[in-house]
Amino acid sequence: MTLSLIWAQTPDAVIGVDGALPWHVPEDLARFRRLTDGHPVVMGRRTWESLPPRFRPLPGRDNVVLSRDPGFAPEGAVVATSLDDALAVVGDRDAWVIGGGSLYAAALPHADRVEVTLVDLATAGDTVAPVLDERRWVQTAHEPAEGWYTSAAEGTRYRYITYGHRPDSQPAVDPRLQAPHRVRCDWGRAGARAVAAGSDRIAVVVDVLTFTTTVAAACAAGIEVAPFRWHDPRAPRFAEETGATLAVSRATGGPSLSPGSVRASGLHRLVLPSPNGATTALTLAATGATVVAGSIRTADAVAAYCARRLAEDPRLVVGVVPAGEGWPDGAFRPCAEDLWGAGAVVEALRRHGATDISVEAEVARQAWLAVADDPVGTLRESASGRELIERGWADDVTAAAELDADGCAPVLVDGWFVAC
Ligand SMILES: NC(=O)c1ccc[n+]([C@@H]2O[C@H](COP(=O)([O-])OP(=O)(O)OC[C@H]3O[C@@H](n4cnc5c(N)ncnc54)[C@H](OP(=O)(O)O)[C@@H]3O)[C@@H](O)[C@H]2O)c1
């Protein structure tokens, strides 16, 4: 994957004012279209809103829009809640970050190339391009060779400059990837990108209360499960078109995120949205990773599946991802039960012969071993367990802690978790 940034700026680095471009250079817009055509484009919510409605989403390109607002649902675009999330959606594909100022600054450390259009204007603005550190970036091309182009529209002068990395500025391998271990572990979607994204990964997503526990219960009962992003308005139509049943909220009594509600439902296919586990699973699937739903109920079966795949293909790595929770303000909350679930899988992987385990995966394993004598009692005492018990779902908490109660590995195949 090559990640490129593209922007137009004045010599003073101005790129925007009042939510718009301070100039009109149609030739530059045509080049922008040519370069980005066919590739995913990643942008901030304000840049999305600055696009004329008839160009939203930008045609011929997968549009990925960053926003921290859980209610933001732009039509025709995928929403990412962090840069890591957006990059995971993009996966192995060559992609462009197209603005605005906040996104350029955040994405620059990840970029391989920067395309700058220098616009010869002295205009005031409220948004600026980031500084390209000369120790890291060097001009690799510029156009025209001498002087400027002149726009036919308003006579504005402009030229194009391409930047690449200096040959001697190779960054070291990021230690947070936990390379070269073959069993790795990190939290949430950001951690998932580090250890579980890519076509050489088996991504074991663990959301014990309750997404992956419910997937385990469903798959063990022969039900296929399609994960969906939380509040994704496309879920009802997808369910209708695929002959599936869309999960409802727990209180209504139908199939829901409650494992007990799906086990004896007699369903064939279930569409199951969830805020953490499903979203993390979809984010990782988009990177080409093989996604497996890990849980305490399926720890041994999931480990057996992973160990088999590791033995077959020496390039494969297992990234175990405790999905974690969200606080009401959107902040990430690591939770004990997902660490235990991840650790139960790592412990089973060890039993199945895996030895190359990162420190972080070993910490998860030790966390599991600390409670393995009484997982049901411990989960019922945990903060998340008590929360669910107080809401009347004690049976779900008990079920979630039953070690190896389901003998299948739920693997995401063509958008559906199926028992393997
Ligand atoms: N000259 C150029 O080439 C060019 C190109 C593009 C844009 N622009 C200009 O740039 C200006 C817009 O830039 P901007 O910096 O104000 O806004 P922006 O980067 O387009 O969007 C900012 C918004 O994106 C979301 N966001 C940013 N980082 C995030 C992260 N790490 N995680 C989750 N969400 C994140 C937030 O949305 P929420 O508030 O919804 O959480 C944030 O408010 C406009 O004037 C536009 O015309 C110029």
Side-chain angles (χ1 to χ4, degrees), residues 185 187 206 208 296 320 322 334-348 350 357-376 378-379 382 403:
C185 179
W187 280 99
V206 182
V208 166
I296 297 171
V320 185
C335 51
E337 70 276 10
D338 289 351
L339 189 63
W340 296 331
V345 172
V346 177
E347 164 65 3
R350 252 179 63 119
I357 294 170
S358 74
V359 168
E360 290 74 10
E362 176 63 15
V363 167
R365 189 178 82 87
Q366 293 294 339
W368 163 251
L369 292 177
V371 301
D373 281 350
D374 182 16
V376 172
T378 316
L379 187 59
S382 71
L403 181 64

Side-chain angles (χ1 to χ4, degrees), residues 135-153:
R135 290 166 300 179
R136 177 89 171 124
W137 294 97
V138 63
Q139 283 191 27
T140 56
H142 53 274
E143 200 193 319
E146 300 282 330
W148 302 83
Y149 291 124
T150 302
S151 173

Side-chain angles (χ1 to χ4, degrees), residues 74-137:
E75 206 175 319
V78 175
V79 177
T81 53
S82 68
L83 181 61
D84 284 320
D85 196 7
L87 295 179
V89 169
V90 164
D92 290 338
R93 297 175 291 170
D94 293 343
W96 291 85
V97 174
I98 63 162
S102 69
L103 253 287
Y104 293 137
L108 188 60
H110 305 271
D112 305 290
R113 170 167 68 135
V114 181
E115 290 287 347
V116 176
T117 303
L118 195 58
V119 180
D120 188 26
L121 288 177
T123 183
D126 54 26
T127 316
V128 294
V131 174
L132 295 177
D133 184 342
E134 288 176 6
R135 290 166 300 179
R136 177 89 171 124
W137 294 97

Side-chain angles (χ1 to χ4, degrees), residues 6-10 14-23 28 32 43-51 65-70 72 80-84 97-104 106 115 117 119 126-128:
I6 183 165
W7 69 71
Q9 66 164 79
T10 68
V14 169
I15 65 164
V17 65
D18 295 335
L21 294 180
W23 50 78
D28 184 43
F32 169 84
M43 70 196 94
R45 194 253 313 155
R46 283 192 217 126
T47 294
W48 167 264
E49 286 171 353
S50 78
L51 299 172
V65 186
L66 269 88
S67 172
R68 296 184 183 90
D69 175 359
F72 180 60
T81 53
S82 68
L83 181 61
D84 284 320
V97 174
I98 63 162
S102 69
L103 253 287
Y104 293 137
E115 290 287 347
T117 303
V119 180
D126 54 26
T127 316
V128 294

